Amino acid sequence: MPSLPMPITDVFVALADPRQTNKVQHSLAETLTVAVCGILVGADTFEEIQAWAQEKLPWLRRYLEL
């Protein structure tokens, strides 16, 4: 029986988050998911990833809490 594909956020959930919790706006898993998706669509810099994520925010919110 074929298994269902794992959501990309599940890949990052097990990573330890070294950030200070009181300074965190988004989960590490969601941040990395957005970064990977941005890179997959051709973003090469943090600024391009941010611009892509802002443009696609309604779509991203369908899958992530953000």
Side-chain angles (χ1 to χ4, degrees):
M1 171 185 270
S3 61
L4 294 175
M6 178 189 306
I8 191 169
T9 52
D10 289 356
V11 174
F12 300 120
V13 169
L15 294 176
D17 191 345
R19 302 174 298 168
Q20 296 177 358
T21 55
N22 60 336
K23 296 181 180 181
V24 171
Q25 247 185 344
H26 304 289
S27 77
L28 181 62
E30 288 194 349
T31 302
L32 293 173
T33 298
V34 170
V36 167
C37 289
I39 290 166
L40 289 174
V41 299
D44 292 322
T45 65
F46 293 122
E47 291 80 11
E48 289 177 354
I49 293 169
Q50 180 183 12
W52 173 82
Q54 287 175 336
E55 180 182 322
K56 299 297 183 181
L57 190 57
W59 178 80
L60 287 167
R61 284 192 170 142
R62 290 174 45 195
Y63 305 100
L64 304 171
E65 288 183 27
L66 298 177

